[in-house]
Structure formats: C-alpha cells, structure tokens
Amino acid sequence: MPGKRRKIDEASGKQSLEALFEEIKAVLAIVKPVLAKFDQKEANDVAQALHSIAKLGESFTRLRNASKDEEVVRFIDHLDVEGVSLWNISIFMAKNDDVPKDVFAAGFRLIEAGLDFDPSPEGGRAYQYNLIILNSLFLVLASILELSSKSGIALAAADAELADEVLTNAASYERRLDELPHSVDPSIARDRARATVVYYTSRMEAAWEQNNLDVASYMMKKINDRQIEILLPQDVVDGVVSRILEIGQSLLKRKSGDSTEEERARAAAQSIPWLQRSLAIVDKGPRDAVWLSARRRVILRNLARAYFLSSADHPENLDRADAALTECLTELDQSKDASVQEYQQLRWMCLALCKKRKTSDESFSKALLPLIEDSPLDEDSIKDILLELKSISKSHSAIVTQALQRLVQRTLNHVDGHPVADKVIFALIMHMRTIPDHESCIKSIHAALDDVTASEGYTFDRTSAFAFLTTFWQFGDHNYDRKRWGHAADWYMLGTHPIFEVVADVTGSKCLRKAALARIYDQDYTSAKTLIERCPSRDAPTHYLSFLSAVNQAQTEDAIRAIEMMARAPDFDRKMLLLATSLARDAQDRTLLHAVLVALLDTLKSDGQEDGNQERITLIRCMIRLVLQMMEDPDADLYVTLIAEIVEANYLSRSKLVPLLLSHSRIVASKALKEGKELAFGTDLSWLWRSTYNAAVKGIGVWGDDHVTDMFGIASQARFVHTDVLLAD
C-alpha cells in the first residue's frame, strides 16, 4: 500500500481536536483510493489503516466530549460525511464478502465523532427541557445506537474483542436513550424502539457467536412486546424473528447423527424457549399478513419437532407437538401461498408423531393417504414411503393395505410411476402375505395384477415376471410343505394370471400342474380336474396328475387310461411309472398294479439291452425290490398270481428277473473297473443276496418247492457276484 502511515499516540490526551482531525484526513486520503480498487493482496495493510481510523475517531469523540472547544463544529460535518461514506462502502463490498471487517468499525467511529450533540448523560441534560432539541437528541441516540449495534455484530465473527468494544459503547447509548422521557411523537417512538430492538438483537447474536447461551437468552428476553407492537407490521420484526428462530433451529440441530436420544432430547428442550419466543413475536402481528403466515408456519414446524424430540424426557410434550402440527396445518389451509411440498413435510411429521403415540388407524389414515396421493413418483420418494409402510405394517395392517393399493394405482396411472411400479406391487405382495385372512390376501394381489393388465403403456418384462412367479412359487411351496394344500394352490394359481403371458410358454403349465397337485391332496378333485384339463394334453406330467387323481378316487379305469397315455407321451419319464407302481400297490388295486407293471416292463423291453445303461439297471433294481416285498406280503398268493400273468405274457419270467440285474451289474462293474470309476452296486448286491435268501427261508412250507429252490439259487448267484465285485475292487 503506497504512502507511509503515521503512528498514533493513543495514550496522549493532549492532542488537539484539529491534530486528530488532520490525522484522520491523512489516513483517509491513503485508504479510500485503495478501497475503490480493492485487492485482496493489500487486505492486511487496508485493515491496519482502517483500524487506525477507528482508534482516531474514538479518540476524537472522547476528546470532544471532554473539551469546551467550540471549534469542533468545523470538523464534525466532515467526519460525519466520511463516516457515512465508509459505511456505504462497507455495505457495497459486503455483498461480495470482500470487505475487511474493520471498515464497519472505522465508519461507525467517524459517524460517532461527527455527531451534532454529546450523547453522554452530561451532554444531554442541557437539552432535556427543550422539546425540539430533545427530539433531535432522541434521533441522534437512536441512530448511533442502531449503527453501533450493527457494527458490533458485523465485527463479531472476525474480531470478537473489537466487537465487544463497539457493543460496550452501544450499551452506554442504550442506557442514555432509556433515561430520556418517552416521546409522544409516533415516529420518534418508532425510531427509539427500532434502535433498542436492533441493539438487543445484536447483543444476542454476539453472545451466541461466543457460545454464551445464557447471555444470549437474557438479551432475547429483553426484547419486549411493547417494542414489537410499535415496530409492526413488519419493519425490523422479521429480522428479529429470523435471528431468534435461527438460534432455536441451531440448538435443535446441535445434537444429531450419532448422538443419543437423551442428548437430542436435551438439545431440543433448549431450543423450545427460543422457538416459543419467535412465535410469540409473530403472533403480535396481523394474521392476514402473508409474510407473517409463512414465518409462523416455519416456527410451528420447528416447535413441533422440538416438542417431539424432547418428549423422551418430557412425555407431555407429545401432546404439545400434536397441537403445534394441528395449528400449522390449519394455518397452511388458510394461507394463500400453500405448497404441496409443505403439506408433505407436515404429513411426514404427523406420521412420526402417530407412530410414537401409537394412535389409531384413523389418525394414520389422515396423514398417510394424502401423503401417498401427493407424493412424487420418483424412486427415492417411493422408497421412503415403502419403508414407512413396512415399519407400521404389523400394528396397522389394514391401513397399510389400503395405502399400498392406492400407491399401486398411482404408479400405474402415471408414466412417471412406471419405473417403480414393480417395486410397489412386490411390496403389496409381501405385505398381504403377512395378513391372516388368506382369501383377502389372494384377492388383493389378484386385483393388483388386474390393474397392471388394465394399465396403458405398462406391463411386466420377462425379468420382472420371473421374479414375481418365483415369489408365488416360494409362498406356495411354503404352504405345501405345511400341508396347507388349498392355500398353496391359490399361490400357484396367481402365476396363471394373464399378465404373465410373456413367460407363459415356460411357466404356464408348471403353475397349473403345481396347483392341480395341491388340489388333489386337498381332495378337491373337481377343481383339480378343471386345472388338469387346462394343462397341455401331450405332456406326460399332465397324465400323471390324472392318474394320481383317479387313484385317490378309486377310479381304476381312469387311472389305467392315464398310465397308457402317459407312457405314449413324448416327454415320458420311466420314473413316473415307478411312482405309479408304488401308488398302485399302496391302493391294493390288483388290476391297476398289473397295468402299471406291464407298462413298466414294456419300457424295459422297448429300450433294448445296452451294456452299462445305469438308468435301466436302476429300474430293474426297483422292480426286484417290489417283487421281494410282494413275496413277503401276507397276500403273497395274489401277487404271485399277478407275476404269473406277467410271465405268461412272455415279458420276463420271475426266476430271470433277478439274474437280469446280476448280469447288468456284472457288466457295469466290469466297465467301471476298466475306466477306474468307483463301483456303485456293491451295497445293492449285498442287499440282493441277503433279501432273496431270507425270502426263500420264509417261503419254505408256504410256496411250492420249485419256487423255494429258485429263490435259494438266485441268492447263491447274487452272493457269488457280490464276492467277485469285492475281489475286483
């Protein structure tokens, strides 16, 4: 910074007013051009120069008040002009956050030095009986008090010590102003109230900046209702309310994140007096003023939140939170600038309050349904709603069902909601599964799928369709495993809804067959028959279901016809015949068992005798087990006759049935040895010779001698083969 700055002897009380005035002019001549083209590189030099001006101005004021020099009039006008100029510069530069904070102090000190009157008590007593001069003194004191208060708070963040000095001076002006008699002139009374309120507000803010909550609270309480009433309708009142509200909000947010519930409750309790005071000030104004209505709603929202959080320590505050929210909603209903966003914010708060108070469905409904009706359909908003619904689904199942149904409709009816429609439908399904009324559950889900079908421009893609079907099958299997056959069938049948046409080629028949099987076990044969008729007639599983239904109803002819058609189906699997054999035997139906065994032996014959056909050997082994079981049965004569009929049909003699398995076992074992594979039949061969031997022993005296001899021969052969396999291993 150009020029050499002169040093000021602050301790010297012998300086003349003129000398001080010249010092001020000299420093101003240097600093003002720099401020006009301010560069941050010179910020430190500018700050020092401004600090010097402030100290010189303070010294001038002190010397002027103690001096009887009438020449002071020559200086004060110039100092006042320069002070106002600096103050205006500071306001302009503050918009860009470039101004050094000392410019506020410098401008204020020069304006203070340029006062027409001595604002001290001694200087003012000479004018207290002159009304004109007294009114002028009022205006001077009010102006300097307001100016010093604003300067102090402007300096608070940058230089707390300097701010305290300025505000201490402001306190002397406030005391002097308070000592003067009250004026009947409304404009003077207004200026007086304005300056006083600005002073207390500045002291309050400065104390808050210094983390002195007690002093800040004291200053806040010094702003009395009479002063506010004089200043209304708006003027500085909005600024005062804003500052009190900001402190209250800061206290309310002071404990958040990882803080405990008790810490948040204490912080909220501290904020309540501030929020209550800001509300009390606003309530002094006209209720029809738009700015007051908007400010009042903000305060009520914060006050409701403070009551809500502090209820952990003060449970009675829940009622106060409810009253504050109700009042805020009433205010919003009557306002001219109400917005959907503001309504939504209040509804979320009402939901939180309802949850904590554990209120009825009706109370939840008043907040929840309008919230859903006005909610944006973006993913984040829908996610928040679904999480909220999940949290209350157990305690308020009915209202959650209603809310989800409406949300499904909204997402389907608006293009913006299509990307999240599947998530909402899935949430509905998961919720409905938890309700005890199964019929209502299925009905609600079916209605939602109907809504999807009826919607324009939206349907499930294959991925979504498979996801829903998998869910239905899981729920169906869950009920099936617990033998809730009817419920299982209902879940399976949801997969046959027309909306899943996109994957019907893969899953349609599967859903029908699973549902039909559940209906059969539920003994609902009429429904089962209807479902089976809807299944593809060329598929073997379809005919197996027909067989199963007929067996359970003791309809032998229908069962035999189903077996014959199943064996001719392109996708026939011989394992189905093994299952059918077991069912026929359990039913003790000779005719049916004969038909099943014939069909089974037909498949063995038609396949030829390829070496190493493990599936074929498995089938033969199962036949052997069945024959052995039949021969040990008390009704063995019936089964022996049946076997005889099969033998007469020239398919396979009973005596060769077991050797056939032995032959194949030897082939497979030999092949496994060559290929270095683990043998699979050792255990079965051991079981075979022991079982046939025991059967022959039991048959002595019961069967014919030739039969017993054959059985002992088979047992002997099986044992020899078993020994060979063990040796080979």
Side-chain angles (χ1 to χ4, degrees):
M1 179 176 171
K4 180 184 272 188
R5 188 164 57 256
R6 303 174 186 176
K7 294 184 179 180
I8 307 299
D9 182 8
E10 298 177 8
S12 175
K14 299 181 180 180
Q15 287 178 296
S16 67
L17 292 174
E18 183 174 3
L20 287 171
F21 178 73
E22 293 299 328
E23 290 280 358
I24 292 171
K25 285 178 61 179
V27 180
L28 281 172
I30 297 172
V31 78
K32 286 179 68 176
V34 179
L35 284 175
K37 298 180 180 180
F38 182 69
D39 189 338
Q40 284 290 349
K41 295 178 180 179
E42 299 178 329
N44 290 333
D45 291 338
V46 171
Q48 291 177 19
L50 291 170
H51 184 72
S52 296
I53 293 174
K55 288 299 182 181
L56 287 168
E58 184 181 5
S59 298
F60 186 94
T61 301
R62 190 165 53 247
L63 184 60
R64 185 201 66 182
N65 293 341
S67 172
K68 303 298 182 182
D69 190 351
E70 296 181 358
E71 295 294 322
V72 70
V73 179
R74 295 188 298 112
F75 311 128
I76 59 176
D77 286 341
H78 185 81
L79 292 175
D80 182 65
V81 170
E82 294 292 352
V84 171
S85 175
L86 282 180
W87 186 263
N88 290 337
I89 290 173
S90 69
I91 294 174
F92 175 78
M93 295 180 69
K95 296 178 181 179
N96 299 320
D97 294 328
D98 290 334
V99 60
K101 297 302 180 183
D102 300 83
V103 73
F104 289 104
F108 161 68
R109 289 302 188 186
L110 291 185
I111 294 173
E112 184 183 40
L115 292 176
D116 290 334
F117 298 101
D118 177 6
S120 66
E122 293 75 13
R125 289 194 183 100
Y127 312 116
Q128 60 183 338
Y129 299 109
N130 186 320
L131 184 59
I132 296 176
I133 298 179
L134 185 62
N135 287 343
S136 298
L137 184 60
F138 268 123
L139 295 177
V140 169
L141 284 171
S143 297
I144 197 63
L145 175 60
E146 184 174 349
L147 187 62
S148 60
S149 300
K150 291 180 178 179
S151 299
I153 195 59
L155 293 166
D159 191 335
E161 184 177 352
L162 182 57
D164 285 340
E165 290 181 14
V166 174
L167 289 175
T168 299
N169 284 352
S172 66
Y173 297 138
E174 189 277 330
R175 286 193 299 272
R176 179 69 187 107
L177 185 62
D178 187 57
E179 291 172 357
L180 294 178
H182 289 278
S183 174
V184 295
D185 188 333
S187 63
I188 293 177
R190 186 176 180 81
D191 289 341
R192 180 176 187 167
R194 176 189 178 94
T196 304
V197 169
V198 170
Y199 165 71
Y200 286 129
T201 304
S202 299
R203 292 295 302 271
M204 176 189 73
E205 284 190 86
W208 170 252
E209 290 287 344
Q210 296 170 14
N211 294 319
N212 194 333
L213 185 59
D214 291 337
V215 173
S217 179
Y218 174 79
M219 292 299 172
M220 180 260 291
K221 294 174 183 177
K222 293 288 287 184
I223 303 172
N224 61 56
D225 293 343
R226 175 59 183 163
Q227 295 163 345
I228 296 299
E229 290 169 356
I230 293 174
L231 293 175
L232 285 169
Q234 185 170 1
D235 203 10
V236 298
V237 174
D238 191 30
V240 174
V241 172
S242 296
R243 286 164 176 77
I244 296 176
L245 177 59
E246 286 171 6
I247 294 175
Q249 289 175 319
S250 298
L251 287 169
L252 187 58
K253 298 174 182 177
R254 175 174 286 183
K255 295 293 183 180
S256 58
D258 297 332
S259 58
T260 64
E261 184 179 11
E262 291 76 13
E263 290 174 334
R264 291 193 293 271
R266 286 194 294 270
Q270 285 183 317
S271 72
I272 289 176
W274 294 85
L275 298 171
Q276 288 174 330
R277 182 55 182 153
S278 62
L279 181 63
I281 293 174
V282 168
D283 283 344
K284 295 294 181 181
R287 299 300 295 270
D288 58 347
V290 175
W291 74 272
L292 278 178
S293 175
R295 181 68 68 187
R296 193 169 189 275
R297 298 197 303 270
V298 173
I299 297 170
L300 285 170
R301 283 200 305 272
N302 283 276
L303 191 56
R305 183 167 180 263
Y307 282 137
F308 177 83
L309 293 176
S310 64
S311 64
D313 291 335
H314 307 280
E316 67 278 5
N317 280 354
L318 283 178
D319 292 333
R320 296 188 177 98
D322 185 31
L325 281 176
T326 301
E327 188 175 355
C328 191
L329 281 168
T330 302
E331 187 85 25
L332 188 59
D333 290 337
Q334 297 172 354
S335 68
K336 299 177 181 179
D337 60 339
S339 66
V340 172
Q341 184 178 3
E342 193 171 354
Y343 271 112
Q344 292 294 86
Q345 186 178 7
L346 292 177
R347 289 162 184 163
W348 278 113
M349 295 176 70
C350 287
L351 278 180
L353 184 60
C354 288
K355 285 172 63 178
K356 196 161 189 177
R357 300 182 75 189
K358 299 180 180 180
T359 56
S360 63
D361 280 0
E362 182 180 359
S363 299
F364 270 100
S365 178
K366 289 180 180 179
L368 184 57
L369 296 183
L371 177 71
I372 289 175
E373 202 65 39
D374 291 335
S375 173
L377 298 178
D378 59 273
E379 187 169 355
D380 289 339
S381 299
I382 296 300
K383 181 180 178 180
D384 290 341
I385 291 177
L386 294 180
L387 288 174
E388 187 70 20
L389 293 177
K390 184 178 180 180
S391 69
I392 63 173
S393 60
K394 292 183 179 179
S395 56
H396 301 276
S397 179
I399 190 63
V400 171
T401 299
Q402 186 179 356
L404 285 170
Q405 289 171 338
R406 180 55 190 148
L407 195 57
V408 168
Q409 294 172 353
R410 284 208 66 217
T411 55
L412 293 176
N413 293 339
H414 297 81
V415 176
D416 294 343
H418 288 178
V420 295
D422 56 345
K423 294 181 177 63
V424 177
I425 297 171
F426 186 77
L428 174 65
I429 294 170
M430 298 302 291
H431 169 67
M432 295 310 300
R433 183 201 175 211
T434 64
I435 69 172
D437 188 347
H438 173 75
E439 184 177 350
S440 296
C441 164
I442 298 300
K443 184 178 180 181
S444 296
I445 296 174
H446 203 282
L449 298 178
D450 287 342
D451 289 340
V452 177
T453 304
S455 65
E456 296 182 3
Y458 179 78
T459 189
F460 293 147
D461 56 25
R462 290 182 67 88
T463 301
S464 297
F466 275 121
F468 283 113
L469 288 173
T470 301
T471 302
F472 295 153
W473 293 340
Q474 288 176 348
F475 295 161
D477 292 345
H478 177 80
N479 285 278
Y480 187 94
D481 293 340
R482 285 156 181 75
K483 298 184 179 181
R484 295 195 289 261
W485 316 115
H487 291 184
D490 290 337
W491 280 107
Y492 294 141
M493 283 304 296
L494 287 172
T496 66
H497 192 279
I499 194 61
F500 298 112
E501 185 68 27
V502 66
V503 291
D505 56 326
V506 179
T507 63
S509 58
K510 180 178 179 179
C511 293
L512 288 169
R513 286 197 293 266
K514 290 171 79 73
L517 182 61
R519 293 298 184 193
I520 291 171
Y521 285 129
D522 197 34
Q523 298 183 1
D524 185 358
Y525 300 114
T526 302
S527 298
K529 181 180 180 181
T530 302
L531 294 175
I532 292 171
E533 289 174 349
R534 292 175 59 185
C535 296
S537 59
R538 288 175 52 84
D539 291 354
T542 301
H543 298 299
Y544 179 80
L545 288 173
S546 298
F547 165 77
L548 184 61
S549 178
V551 169
N552 279 273
Q553 298 177 76
Q555 298 174 348
T556 303
E557 292 184 2
D558 291 342
I560 293 174
R561 185 163 46 252
I563 285 293
E564 293 173 348
M565 297 182 69
M566 180 177 69
R568 292 196 295 268
D571 59 343
F572 168 67
D573 186 342
R574 285 172 297 187
K575 293 179 182 178
M576 296 180 183
L577 281 177
L578 295 177
L579 294 174
T581 302
S582 178
L583 289 172
R585 181 177 179 277
D586 291 342
Q588 296 184 351
D589 188 330
R590 173 184 173 184
T591 304
L592 178 59
L593 183 57
H594 176 273
V596 174
L597 288 174
V598 168
L600 182 57
L601 293 174
D602 274 341
T603 61
L604 294 176
K605 181 179 179 182
S606 63
D607 274 352
Q609 298 194 17
E610 298 179 5
D611 292 348
N613 189 328
Q614 188 170 339
E615 183 183 15
R616 174 181 174 81
I617 295 174
T618 301
L619 293 173
I620 297 173
R621 186 168 64 246
C622 292
M623 279 290 295
I624 295 172
R625 290 176 184 272
L626 179 62
V627 170
L628 289 173
Q629 290 173 4
M630 289 190 295
M631 294 178 72
E632 294 179 5
D633 195 280
D635 297 325
D637 290 343
L638 181 147
Y639 297 114
V640 170
T641 302
L642 176 60
I643 293 173
E645 291 178 1
I646 296 175
V647 172
E648 288 173 5
N650 200 29
Y651 286 104
L652 191 66
S653 66
R654 183 189 61 185
S655 62
K656 293 182 179 180
L657 190 60
V658 175
L660 180 62
L661 174 62
L662 300 179
S663 173
H664 280 287
S665 299
R666 182 178 283 110
I667 293 171
V668 175
S670 175
K671 187 176 182 180
L673 284 173
K674 291 179 181 179
E675 297 179 1
K677 296 180 180 178
E678 184 180 353
L679 294 176
F681 301 108
T683 302
D684 287 325
L685 290 172
S686 175
W687 163 83
L688 180 61
W689 77 261
R690 295 176 190 277
S691 298
T692 52
Y693 177 81
N694 291 334
V697 171
K698 292 179 181 179
I700 296 174
V702 179
W703 304 337
D705 293 341
D706 56 338
H707 289 169
V708 174
T709 302
D710 287 344
M711 288 301 294
F712 277 122
I714 293 170
S716 176
Q717 294 178 46
R719 184 174 182 181
F720 283 132
V721 174
H722 179 236
T723 301
D724 291 344
V725 170
L726 290 178
L727 291 174
D729 192 19

